[in-house]
Amino acid sequence: MAFMAVLESDLRALSAEARRRYPAVKDGAEHAILKLRSLSSPSEIVHNDDILRIFLMACEVRTVKLSVIGLSCLQKLITHDAVAPSALKEILSTLKNHAEMTDESVQLKTLQTILVVFQSHLHPENEENTAQALGICLRLLESNRSSDSVRNTAAATFRQAVALIFDHVVCAESLPTSKFGSGGQISRTGTVTSDVSRGINRSESLENEYVAGGPSLMRETVTNAGKLGLCLLEDLTALAAGGSAIWLRVSSLQRTFVLDILEFILSNYVAVFRTLVPYEQVLRYQICSVLMTSIRTNAEPEGEAGEPSFRRMVLRSVAHIIRLYSSSLITECEVFLSMLVKVIFLDLPLWHRILVLEILRGFCVEARTLRVLFQNFDMHPKNTNVVEGMVKALARVVSSVQVLDASEESLAAVAGMFSSKAKGVEWSLDNDASNAAVLVASEAHSITLAVEGLLGVVFTVATLTDEAVEVGELESPRCENDPPAKCTGKTAALCISMVDSLWLTILDALSLILSRSQGEAIVLEILKGYQAFTQACGVLCAVEPLNSFLASLCKFTINFPNEMEKRSSALQSPGSKRPEPLVDQRENIVLTPKNVQALRTLFNIAHRLHNMLGPSWVLVLETLAALDRAIHSPHATTQEVSTAVPKLMRESSGQYSDFNILSSLNSQLFESSALMHLSAVKSLLSALHQLSDQSLAAASSAFGPASSQKLGSISFSVERMISILVNNLHRVQSLWDQVVGHFLELADSSNQHLRTIGLDALDQSICAVLGSDGFQDNIPTGTHGRSQEMGTRLAELRALECSVISPLRVLYFSTQNIDVRAGSLKILLHVLERHGEKLLHSWPNILEMLRSVADVSEKDLVTLGFQSLRVIMNDGLSTIPANYLHVCIDVTGAYSAQKTELNISLTAVGLLWTVTDFIAKGLIQEPEEKEAGVHSIPKQKDGEKAEEQALGISNNVNDQASLTNMVDYDKLLFSVFSLLQKLGADDRPEVRNSAVRTLFQSLGSHGQKLSKIMWEDCLSNYVFPALDRASHMAATSSKDEWQGKELGTRDGKAVHMLIHHSRNTVQKQWDETLVLVLGGIARILRSFFPFLRCLTNFWSCWESLLLFVKKSTLNGSKEVALAAINCLQTTVLSHSPKGNLPMPYLNSVLDVFEFVLQKSPNYTGNAAGKVKQEVVHGLGELYVQAHRMFDESMYTQLLAIIDLAVKQAIITTDNFETEFGHVPPVLRTVLEILPLLRPTEQISSMWLILLREFLLYLPRSNSPLQNEEDESEHTSSSDHLPDAHMKVKDDMPNGTASISPTKVEAPSLSSVSTSSLTAGIPSYLFAEKLVPVLVDLFLQAPEIEKHIIFPELIQSLGRCMMTRRDNPDGALWRLAVERFNDILVDDIKRLTVNGGPTESIGKPARTRIWKEVADVYEIFLIGYCGRALPSNSLSSVALRADESLEMTILNVLGDEILKSSIDAPLNILQRLVFTLDRCASRTCSLPIETVELMPSHCSRFSLTCLQKLFTLSSYCKETDDWNLARSEVSKISIMTLMDRCQYILNRFLVDEVELGDRPLPRARLEEIIFVLQELARLIIHSDTAVVLPLQSYLKTGLAEENQDKRPHLLVLFPSFCELVTSREPRVRELVQVLLRLITRELALEKVSLTS
């Protein structure tokens, strides 16, 4: 074991120390070591005293080292219970001897050993051992030779020994072992509130420990341990009195030390004195006697008794006796308390009074002590009112601050002390402080203790009150029941008694110190006291103390400048010029920290006692109203800010957080009214009403800032009433009349500001009530089958709703003031916007009010009323009960018809459209309800959308089932239509136009939901009557122009609003209405025509519409005529593709269009042109949509109508427009629709009529083309086959009809000479636009019809091409050339693809086509291409473009036609080649003089034609596709080319001879060089070589020998030989090349002389 090892180590140390001088000790130690080794545990040491003896032997030597070792080992043995109890006496004797040694370490070791003895099992049980042990401590304590450390250790050892002795007594007597703080004094640091809390905890533990410790449990007998403790107590008492201790054998001892020990015993071993009678007797007769003697101050104390420490110990002991034993020591405590109170006012040192005040403060902050004292003394009639005396004494100390010379310094010191304590720091003076400072600090200390004592009383009262509430003796301020009239219960009676006897004294003292103090900590502490005491008074129903404390507290909240301050501030400074009343009269409010804390305290009280204040609310509300003014005042500041700052800056600054906090508290107070009793809420409302009435009366007689202040109070009252109402919506029925009655009074006030306040308050109140959760259940559906409780609930809601809305009606009808009426309407608007869906039972009042507004003349009122109506109609129709819907419609009609504001009427008409939407949803009924008269409407263009709409409506059927059963939607819908029809006759065009739009939009959007009967009524009663009325008004209205509304004057002249010329008469305005009616009819017909045509009266309606269209086109109104035509056109276009338009309707429309154009010559102008243009455009669209319905007769009629329009347009064309190159609008429209008029397969014969009809509008035979054409016919060698000789074939296998003479001879529709008509359009403008259109149509025509009309088209294009002579810069001939090329190229491609013409096309037809083609080429190329023109006729760009066009037509002829496998006859091919040859001969055929004058483009054209001949004659095996036609062309071309080359060569030789030395013209030289070069490059086919005029043997030899065949060179060999002598080197070179080629061709280069 470790203990055994340590003990062995100590023995060895002892042996080593005694080895030299003390051999006996050494031997004993070694013997003990051996002995110790034979032992195993401390318990065995107890039975073997050898080890103990060696340590005692070492101590007996009395040397320091050995004694220290010996005492240390003794302590270890005692601690480990290794010493027998019988050895105690010997150990104490040894300790006594050692106590007499002078060595400090030995003395300290001795004291330590004594304490170990008391703490171990060797604790002395008899008086002798105990006295001996305690005596050792006391002797060392009192010895003059003892050092300070020894004395202090002795004192501590004695105190611990005493504690151990009394612990032994408690254990032996079986008493509770709980102890308390040795001092029992509450700390001087910290707040009074925390001190009270700690005192409460200590008191509660005492009560719990000794709740059964009454006199009946006390006993007189004690144990030996108790007797031992009693002896010690008596000796200590004797020593405290200044005597000697017999038992302890001590003659004297410091009384302060003894009192400290007694105070320790009294405070920590209360159970001993309360249970054991001998102890209680010692306390009563000995200790109290000693203390009474010591506390007396009638004589000057001497010696130790006069020292502060002694006085402090005496007072602390007294305090403990009063605190702990007052219940048993009544008389003694009464004497003590009386003496303490008297001491305060005796002429004693200030420190003495401070000690007493500390004691009294301790009593006050301990709730149990104060309670016991008050119960035992103040409430006992035979005893003195000691608590009341204490409180008055403390109050006198506080009031002494008024008479102190340095009161301000004292108050500052008091504030400093409170501040230090709040921080947990003990306040202290500097060491070098002066006497004056010490005096001030002492006085401040006394005041601080007095204030804390008073606050302790306050908090004690509050604590006891809370205790009474907890045990049920008092009702909590938060309870749901009203407070009882009278308080019962022991604790409650105690609290009431304490309040009644102490409140006035406390209030005077606290208000005094609060008014004089500025420190934050002290102010907070005092205000806490105010709050605690006021709340206690409220709970105790102590009205007078409550009101007094509230009034006192309110004085410290806000400091408004009094009248004297205002007057002094209003005095002018000497330097000022004039007063500034706005600045002088404002209230500069400065909130100090004290004010802020006082306000917070007031809020806390109000929150805590809201159910208890009752009439006292007025005091609170006046202060809160002042606070509200200060918060919203721009001149209010806190004390930290030296100057007033604007409110915005104040809100954004951190220095003004107090304002924000106070404002929040102000609001929260009234928000918490929801937790109040109903009676308390009514009391609060009454107080607010009272405050408002007082301010209202004062405001009527006040002026300036005073009036503003009163208005602020009224505003405050109103705002808080609203806040209370909002937070008590769950019981608003009981409060509504009280609140709204005051608001109505304000709203009807003569003061504008008050009216505004009242109206705003009424608005907020109504919206708050309707927006509450209580109205969420106010739903019309789902109420069937509910319980009686639900019925009662609905009845309550009905009554509440009516009472909430009725003030608005009362306010509106009870006054004539416009502002008030407007205010009530604004409130109604807000109500409907926010909560209209919750209203059920108040609609009659609302609608009656809105209906009356529609008849007033004030624009503002009408506007406000209509805004409410808009909310109802837009958002509330679904929630309005069914029996009020018709009233809503009537009210909407009233606003539509009112004349005060136009925009309102227009918007009201729009609301009727909203109504129709709503009604349409209700028109969806069960199938069996609709079987009687409802026909299904076929699906239309937007049928899917209608289906989706129907599905969307069906989803809502179940939700509105109950309403649908109660509403006659048909009747509602017709009532809307009736209103719209009446509005359609309004004299204001804007209103009637809007009504017309709405009527037809409604029918168009919801027509699919109307039954057959309803549609018949609509057509006969609303739709066509509207058309008749508008037509009649347009025909009979005035045509006088209106200048417009007069806006003002300028320079003495009236200024009128600008009116567009199309609306500056009444008739034009009715025309606009008529256009809208027609548009609406068009929409209806477009949407529902298949359904409507099944109605019995629809055909008559249709005929009336057609009749109106005919009339409208003749009255000169363009927009009406166009709208009428568009109405018919829209109907036809919408339903023709679907097959929903019967033939009679289509024919009737065509008849109307024909009628319009037939009558059009009777009127002219822009209107007529627009009408014609619209008719023509409509015909095109009509045919596109309804082409399947057209037969030949209808198509013929269509073409006749268009032809009529063209002829009229040509006759009446405006030359001014054509001069600028513009085609008339009607003709432009004809050109637009012409591509759309392609006949269908069923009427394919109409292609000829269509094309021939429009070919007539191209240049005719009276043009110069005719004569040239006639000449060409006479000179041409081609055979023309007459049409009569065209063969008619049977049906072909592919079903294509053959050409018949009837088709060829199809007559023209024109009855007027077209040639005379075209003369009306100069520059062929119409023909220019018509040519591309006709060619495109021709290309799309069927094969048979195309070949029939092909020659005629070629003739027409040829005539257009011949216009180049008269109009070389015109576009017609160019377009004709391009289109001529296009159709030929297209035909060639078809022949190539099909391998020739189709079987259905006869050869004569093709021959006729090629004859016309050859004619055109022959005439145009020879007569119009490559010709010299005047130098100024065309620009260079145009010349280049024309030349390019000429080259293009040559390319088409030479490269596309003549090189293709065409089916042209041989004579046609010859004519085409001869045409090229004639064009190529121009340069060589001219005289030499003329050639020099020929333009370059003419020579280029000639060379190009010559090149085409070379190309046609040549053959290239890689590129040429040789065929029969190609062979024939090549044969013709080679012969023609040879003749032409022979002529050119010979002509060159002649010209060279004639010119002599002169050079040849460049064109002639270029021509000869080109010919020679091309001849060298030319290679011909063997088939072509056959036709050359050569000997047969040459042809055969050439065919055998040569692959590159150039037999043509042999034909021209003679000419080549002549050219050898030419002067031109280039010509000789080329001739040399040709001769070599001839040599090769003849194979002569292989012949050699040597061979």
Side-chain angles (χ1 to χ4, degrees), residues 867-878 907 910-911 914:
Q867 289 177 359
S868 299
L869 182 64
R870 286 182 65 182
V871 174
I872 296 173
M873 305 303 286
N874 288 330
D875 305 325
L877 281 177
S878 60
T907 312
L911 293 181
T914 304

Side-chain angles (χ1 to χ4, degrees), residues 62-63 209 211 324 365 393 637 663 755 828 1108 1164 1408 1549:
R62 299 187 68 174
T63 61
E209 187 69 31
V211 66
L324 302 174
V365 299
T637 63
S663 178
R755 286 202 303 270
L828 178 61
F1108 173 79
T1164 59
R1408 183 182 178 189
L1549 293 173

Side-chain angles (χ1 to χ4, degrees), residues 452 465 932 1306 1561:
E452 291 180 346
T465 305

Side-chain angles (χ1 to χ4, degrees), residues 1146-1183:
L1146 181 60
N1147 289 330
S1148 64
V1149 173
L1150 287 176
D1151 294 340
V1152 169
F1153 285 166
E1154 185 175 13
F1155 173 83
V1156 171
L1157 290 179
Q1158 287 175 352
K1159 297 297 181 181
S1160 60
N1162 298 332
Y1163 59 95
T1164 59
N1166 186 33
K1170 286 289 184 182
V1171 171
K1172 294 177 185 178
Q1173 190 175 352
E1174 188 67 24
V1175 169
V1176 172
H1177 187 271
L1179 286 171
E1181 291 190 348
L1182 174 62
Y1183 179 75

Side-chain angles (χ1 to χ4, degrees), residues 188 244 531 549 696 1204 1459:
R188 289 272 307 280
S244 59
Q531 176 179 335
F549 267 82
L696 183 63
L1204 180 61
K1459 281 190 174 184

